[in-house]
Amino acid sequence: MASTRPTPPGPFVRLATRVASARLRLPPATTGYRVDRDIAVTMRDGVDLLTDVYLPHVPHADPAGTVLIRTPYGRTNLPAAVTAAVYAERGYQVVMQSVRGTFGSGGDFHPGYAESEDAADTLTWLRDQPWFRGRLFTVGSSYLGYTQWALLMDPPPELDTSVIGMAPHDFAESGWGTGAFALADFLTWSYQVATQEDGGTLRTVVRMVTMPRRLRRPLRIVPLRDAGAKILKDRAPWHESWLRTPDATDPYWRPARLGGALQRTRTPVLLVTGWQDVFLTQTFEQYRRLRDGDAGPALIVGPWTHGDGGGDVLRESLSWLADERFGGVRIFVTGDGWRDLPSWPPPAEQQQWYLSPRAALTPQPVDGQPARFVYDPADPTPTIGGRLLFAPRGYREDSALAARNDVITFTGAVLDRPMEVLGTPSVELVHRTATGWCDVAVRISEVGADGRSRNVSDGYATRTPADGEMLRLDLDPIAHRFAAGSRIRLSIAGGSYPRFARNPGTGEPVWTASRLVPTTHEIGTRSRLTLPILNGHRVNEF
């Protein structure tokens, strides 16, 4: 069905695009464009998905290619319109489609479901368009990146390359990858999506800013299923299914797990993430599996939280689509700056730091009594910064965490020179509780000369009585330069709330548990932290 509303861009969008292009230092525009709006693209089940097509004015030359963007967040809001305009003004046709159940598209929105089929049907429609020249690109971040993985479950022959930013390929891993439910992220995102069409862009921004405060009290409700019902009011029916399905192998999750795309992709992919992005670990898995499959991926990792780095990402995307491509990995070393590497992880020396008496981190093990702390789910250890979707997130001063009675810390000696840690830190904890039903949250922080600390890397795991006394846990990958005069601190707690749902301490499912039981944790002195050190700084030198 052809659009009956071809329109030029409005003056506000033109102005906003010029301002954004200047501020983000993008390459200059080369052409104007028009927009064909609200084209109904019919899926195999008869559902129509509304689609806008941006067509550049290139009468004497073929377009640079067609950029496909599939989104649940709307096509006409200012960020979406400016993004499409940036590509159209540089000669690309842009196809921007609202996924089913969002912003006028038919059907019901259920995250992760039907995206592969709908992407394939959209390609079938695209091939029939007289303006399509057969060269396809895909771009987008977050859920827009997930829809790219959905297309790559059956890669079309027309696809030239993809730019996938800060995106999951596996919703089950996002929700339950640690064994604990990612409560804050899934609940706040569900609330955002459920209410995003209530009012305009300004109301959406206000809701996002005030969301943590408004959700604070409802999140304390037990059982957890009642908290979700109170917050979402039946407007996000998928949320309870997420909460009730901790097993990633359950058939419920099958449509939303797109790991097969990592095996089938053979075209170049530019992956973009940030050290404090919620999907950091999935992006590293994507890079590893694409590299091992000879797909030739490139990776950029900035000092960003989810959705940050817009100017850098857009510039890199335009360069990548224009065949100005690089190989390997481009990372931002926090505490230093940008660096290019041939691959990730770089060769590093794995150094051990032992958790010793008197809250010390030492190069050699020191025997002593186990360290103890009590985690009370009725007064849970709070989340301070870290890899969250919404604020307060990212790098934060976390000195208040170390001061809590339900957190134990181990701090190393003052570094006499900078120490670079590039790779994935890990811990081996001799860990005991009376019942075995618990969570363990581990954090590496840098303590400055003034005594204030800031988070660097986190790890989290749920434990059961069958897990025994030894806990081996990988923390978040990092590229960090610890400054001379600083110290390395390892913190251990029994939770991080509301990033993760509280472990009730009873073995009951978190969605129905109404009884909260405190748990005493013991950490033995043979426990150790392993750091991948790049510059050969040995811990026994100071």
Side-chain angles (χ1 to χ4, degrees), residues 304-437:
W304 308 312
T305 60
H306 189 74
D308 291 343
D312 297 272
V313 175
L314 200 48
R315 282 193 303 276
E316 293 287 354
S317 297
L318 289 168
S319 297
W320 188 264
L321 266 56
D323 291 327
E324 299 169 10
R325 300 174 186 174
F326 66 95
V329 178
R330 185 171 296 160
I331 62 170
F332 189 92
V333 180
T334 50
D336 186 27
W338 288 100
R339 192 173 303 175
D340 289 340
L341 300 172
S343 64
W344 181 271
E349 179 183 357
Q350 304 297 317
Q351 292 190 7
Q352 277 74 49
W353 299 60
Y354 289 88
L355 283 59
S356 299
R358 299 187 179 181
L361 272 179
T362 60
Q364 301 295 330
V366 179
D367 290 331
Q369 294 298 313
R372 294 181 177 86
F373 67 94
V374 177
Y375 172 76
D376 184 358
D379 181 23
T381 312
T383 300
I384 299 179
R387 295 193 301 111
L388 289 157
L389 275 176
F390 300 98
R393 60 184 183 171
Y395 296 113
R396 300 273 170 168
E397 185 190 343
D398 61 3
S399 305
L401 198 64
R404 287 181 61 95
N405 292 330
D406 56 358
V407 178
I408 56 172
T409 62
F410 301 86
T411 306
V414 174
L415 298 176
D416 62 356
R417 57 190 174 92
M419 175 183 287
E420 291 188 354
V421 181
L422 275 72
T424 301
S426 63
V427 294
E428 295 180 40
L429 301 180
V430 181
H431 174 260
R432 293 178 288 271
T433 67
T435 66
W437 301 104

Side-chain angles (χ1 to χ4, degrees), residues 61-78:
D62 284 339
T66 301
V67 173
L68 175 63
I69 302 172
R70 303 188 62 249
T71 174
Y73 303 126
R75 292 163 287 121
T76 60
N77 59 72
L78 193 58

